[in-house]
Amino acid sequence: MSSTLDFEITLTERPTPAADREAILADPGWGMHFTDHMITIRYQEGKGWYDARLEPYGPIPMDPASQVLHYSQELFEGLKAYRQADGSIVTFRPYANAARMNRSAQRMAMPQIPEQLFVDALELLVGTDKDWVPGKEGQSLYLRPFMFATTRALGVNRPADEFLFMVIASPSGLYYPRGIKPVSVWLSQDYVRAAPGGTGEAKTGGNYAASFAGQAEAVANGCDQVVWLDAHEHRWVEEVGSMNLIFVYGEGSSARLLTPALNGALLAGITRDSMLKLAPDLGIPVEEGKISIEEWQEGCESGAISEVFGCGTAAIISPVGRAKGTDREWTIGTGEPGPVSMRLREELIGIQYGTKPDPYGWVHKIV
Ligand SMILES: *Cc1c(COP(=O)(O)O)cnc(C)c1O
């Protein structure tokens, strides 16, 4: 491992007994169980990154005046480790996550982390806790790198100069344990997730805090997830929940994809980017553009739009079956998962689990 820092390694004295771990891995759910270890790396202005550790998973002592607790200066990433068909363990495009974390850091006035240090931290944690990478269909070890301001000061005129970077890992099961079911979505007119010039492009917890009221409104209106519209006109479609949106026009050999362009308010998903590269190689042209809710509804009613899906690391692809707003409601396609969505999903999952070739070099072997 060619690290920019040497990690001090302290293994837990109380590892989870194998039988308990196997019981968790049999049905891990999502984001509820954590492996035996975690990574911590500290940063101080002038000193840079230091004190890299692999430690037993556990609570972290924090000063109540830590800036993150008051001003939300934090960011995170999300990616998965997969157990492949031949037994090796891989992650998917980890350098893309490292680069995105640094773009988020730029927006959030936080320090850049060397991409290799980021990937080394993932490799060390996954390598140490490799028995926690589940092996059944659709299972994976979800990796959560994150960083936050630990500077002890309430004054906002002094920028934070101390940060903690961490990685924790959580075994995760099939996102759709009972088969893929299209979600219904609520077009939020009251709440906005992000505006150009704001933090929508950064993967920061504050965007999520700002989205919970909209998500609750979606549920109150009988929908699964919320569709975020643009901040100015509340008309142009941006994202769904915490996923990017892709529209399928046409069918069969004439199918093509349209996805909202990255306009400064959207989060640049790595799954979205992978779809944009994968689809043309499968003969499905892609376009980044704009689509309004009126165009979406008319496209579904005329049959021009055949499928719509959300995409992100957690679910890979989440078909959208119904859309609803205060004054409108419509069905997308047949209301069932469509063939283009399912084909793209199969291809990407095949690369991740090693059952299909990886011409893009996306898979990064750990052990
Ligand atoms: C993380 C995230 C996505 C999906 O990104 P992936 O890299 O594909 O997992 C999309 N939208 C938002 C708001 C996100 O936070």
Side-chain angles (χ1 to χ4, degrees):
M1 199 160 74
S2 63
S3 179
T4 41
L5 284 180
D6 286 329
F7 284 82
E8 188 177 315
I9 293 176
T10 312
L11 296 180
T12 178
E13 287 170 4
R14 276 181 238 92
T16 308
D20 295 358
R21 187 184 62 236
E22 292 309 323
I24 291 170
L25 296 188
D27 185 17
W30 209 87
M32 295 184 303
H33 301 282
F34 298 91
T35 67
D36 285 330
H37 298 93
M38 64 184 190
I39 299 282
T40 59
I41 313 178
R42 294 190 172 274
Y43 180 91
Q44 191 170 29
E45 199 61 45
K47 187 169 176 180
W49 293 100
Y50 71 102
D51 198 16
R53 294 167 186 266
L54 174 105
E55 297 178 317
Y57 182 94
I60 43 173
M62 275 183 84
D63 192 291
S66 296
Q67 285 208 355
V68 63
L69 298 178
H70 305 273
Y71 308 124
S72 296
Q73 200 180 8
E74 82 92 46
L75 48 82
F76 67 95
E77 272 301 324
L79 71 166
K80 289 169 165 175
Y82 305 88
R83 196 176 284 280
Q84 290 207 323
D86 67 358
S88 55
I89 295 171
V90 305
T91 54
F92 185 72
R93 304 187 69 185
Y95 290 94
N97 291 93
R100 186 171 66 189
M101 185 160 209
N102 281 333
R103 291 201 303 276
S104 299
Q106 166 80 33
R107 177 63 184 84
M108 302 302 292
M110 295 170 75
Q112 299 286 300
I113 185 162
E115 289 187 9
Q116 194 57 49
L117 181 57
F118 177 98
V119 175
D120 285 349
L122 298 178
E123 287 187 4
L124 179 60
L125 182 60
V126 175
T128 306
D129 286 339
K130 59 180 180 306
D131 292 344
W132 285 90
V133 183
K136 282 199 301 213
E137 197 204 323
Q139 293 186 326
S140 59
L141 183 65
Y142 181 78
L143 307 175
R144 170 54 62 86
F146 57 112
M147 194 208 298
F148 52 89
T150 53
T151 303
R152 178 178 182 270
L154 295 184
V156 284
N157 293 329
R158 178 181 152 222
D161 56 4
E162 288 179 335
F163 297 87
L164 184 59
F165 169 83
M166 300 186 64
V167 189
I168 55 177
S170 174
S172 66
L174 263 185
Y175 199 81
Y176 291 101
R178 278 169 289 285
I180 297 183
K181 271 200 60 173
V183 295
S184 55
V185 297
W186 172 250
L187 309 166
S188 180
Q189 297 286 350
D190 294 344
Y191 299 106
V192 163
R193 189 193 83 93
T199 57
E201 261 180 331
K203 213 166 169 71
T204 181
N207 292 339
Y208 280 69
S211 76
F212 293 145
Q215 174 62 27
E217 188 188 65
V219 171
N221 283 282
C223 294
D224 300 309
Q225 303 225 359
V226 52
V227 167
W228 301 110
L229 303 172
D230 76 291
H232 287 303
E233 298 179 62
H234 293 210
R235 249 187 94 199
W236 302 100
V237 179
E238 297 195 330
E239 298 199 60
V240 60
S242 54
M243 290 183 285
N244 295 116
L245 262 173
I246 299 188
F247 296 80
V248 183
Y249 282 82
E251 302 174 45
S253 60
S254 71
R256 61 186 176 86
L257 307 184
L258 172 76
T259 190
L262 302 176
N263 64 0
L266 275 72
L267 196 283
I270 291 163
T271 316
R272 172 188 183 278
D273 184 70
S274 304
M275 290 295 164
L276 295 188
K277 296 197 164 90
L278 202 58
D281 290 346
L282 300 172
I284 308 169
V286 301
E287 185 196 331
E288 295 177 76
K290 274 178 100 169
I291 177 167
S292 66
I293 45 178
E294 295 82 11
E295 287 164 343
W296 180 359
Q297 180 174 10
E298 283 158 22
C300 289
E301 285 167 0
S302 74
I305 295 175
S306 58
E307 304 173 34
V308 177
F309 60 89
C311 66
T313 296
I316 306 295
I317 274 181
S318 184
V320 178
R322 255 190 109 57
K324 184 177 170 187
T326 42
D327 55 353
R328 57 182 84 225
E329 187 168 356
W330 70 94
T331 302
I332 294 117
T334 59
E336 292 300 316
V340 176
S341 315
M342 290 302 101
R343 169 135 188 253
L344 289 165
R345 181 176 179 275
E346 287 303 308
E347 288 293 329
L348 192 59
I349 288 179
I351 294 174
Q352 291 168 335
Y353 286 91
T355 57
K356 299 215 167 164
D358 171 25
Y360 311 98
W362 285 342
V363 158
H364 177 86
K365 187 167 168 160
I366 293 189
V367 275

